[in-house]
Amino acid sequence: MNPAYRPYTLIAELTYKCPLRCVYCSNPVDYTRHDQELDTATWLRVFEEAEELGVVQLNLTGGEPLVRNDLEQLIAKARSLDLYTNLITSGIPLTQERLARFRELGLDNVQLSVQDVKPADSDRIAGLKSFERKMQVARWVKSLGFPLTINTVLHRDNLDHVADVIAMAEELSADRLELANTQYLGWALLNRKALLPSREQLDRAREVALAARERLKGKMEVLFVVPDYYREFPPACMDGWGRRFLLVSPDGLALPCHVAHEIPGLTFEKVGTRPLAEIWASPDGLGHFRAATSTSGAAAARPTS
């Protein structure tokens, strides 16, 4: 393995469970078969091994990580390891008291998903009446002194609302806004016909986002993720999945990205079979993925619709 390949971010997918039913969700379509989640002790050990491997940032995500009763223990462990820890959440379910406990335990950042700018539209996309609660959670986040990231997944139904999404993020005093175009994996692939935007829609939204990025420089970071399906050549995702980022699935697979285990000819190990450093350095699994993407480009190892 190239010694320059050192992970600095661990994406800990704690669960596939979620109270929302977003039509663009990247959860596996057969997620009900994935019911064996890692227990608390295993996650704590994974965090330790990840830190020893060089990881400095931890993303606690899902599904909805808030459904885990041990989230406090996981946050406390991350703080003891001096990992910069980001909670990626729908905000449902959450109480202000629990969020305050997260702050006391050392959580660093909160990323909140908001599906659209109008309550009815956002609730319809999320499959649950949730917009007003999300706005409340955003205000809690700021009142407790957290940095706030707003994430809105873009698709045909809301791409024309990008200017309003930016205005909403400004009103909430967000520190960062992620405008992430849908990647067609899992449920999103199943719903692609209803979600895929036109190139014209995408171009208009991108111009609005780029203008906002310049206007808000130094005040709010605006990130617009251009989807692979309108690029000439798909880029190496996230600075190279399997090079800088390591994902561990709810059932323990150590993966370079969310869907790598679906790629024919690749197999991946579960954490616990041997130390994470050995899994990372193995020529099989992660090493095989790196070799394929180094010689053939990201498109060879990543479905792009």
Side-chain angles (χ1 to χ4, degrees), residues 162 166 179 203-217 222-224 226:
V162 163
I166 294 167
L179 299 166
D203 288 344
R204 288 195 303 268
R206 185 169 182 269
E207 288 180 11
V208 171
L210 291 178
R213 180 187 297 172
E214 288 302 311
R215 176 174 61 84
L216 296 168
K217 188 175 295 184
V222 178
L223 177 66
F224 187 87
V226 179

Side-chain angles (χ1 to χ4, degrees), residues 142 148 150 162-177 212 215-216 219-220 222:
K142 294 300 294 186
L148 171 65
I150 295 293
V162 163
D164 294 329
V165 172
I166 294 167
M168 175 187 68
E170 289 185 80
E171 185 178 345
L172 293 171
S173 300
D175 301 275
R176 191 168 188 263
L177 172 62
R215 176 174 61 84
L216 296 168
K219 179 181 178 184
M220 181 174 75
V222 178

Side-chain angles (χ1 to χ4, degrees), residues 20-24 114-132 134 152-153 155-161 164-165 168 195:
L20 304 188
R21 297 293 182 268
C22 302
V23 292
Y24 54 74
V114 181
Q115 281 67 30
D116 209 335
V117 290
K118 293 182 179 179
D121 292 337
S122 183
D123 294 347
R124 176 178 54 80
I125 295 167
L128 181 74
K129 186 175 178 62
S130 56
F131 179 83
E132 295 300 342
K134 288 172 178 284
T152 298
V153 177
H155 44 80
R156 183 188 302 173
D157 280 0
N158 65 6
L159 254 174
D160 295 330
H161 306 163
D164 294 329
V165 172
M168 175 187 68
L195 293 172

Side-chain angles (χ1 to χ4, degrees), residues 13-17 36-44 61 64-74 93 98 102 250:
E13 282 194 316
L14 302 179
T15 182
Y16 287 132
K17 298 172 185 174
Q36 298 297 316
E37 295 180 357
L38 297 183
D39 60 17
T40 307
T42 303
W43 275 118
L44 297 179
T61 185
E64 175 48 69
L66 290 170
V67 305
R68 294 274 305 212
N69 294 327
D70 59 357
L71 196 51
E72 285 83 352
Q73 290 176 262
L74 301 183
R98 194 179 191 199
F102 294 162

Side-chain angles (χ1 to χ4, degrees), residues 102-120:
F102 294 162
R103 184 65 168 167
E104 293 170 2
L105 291 167
L107 183 68
D108 293 294
N109 187 81
V110 177
Q111 176 175 311
L112 180 69
S113 67
V114 181
Q115 281 67 30
D116 209 335
V117 290
K118 293 182 179 179

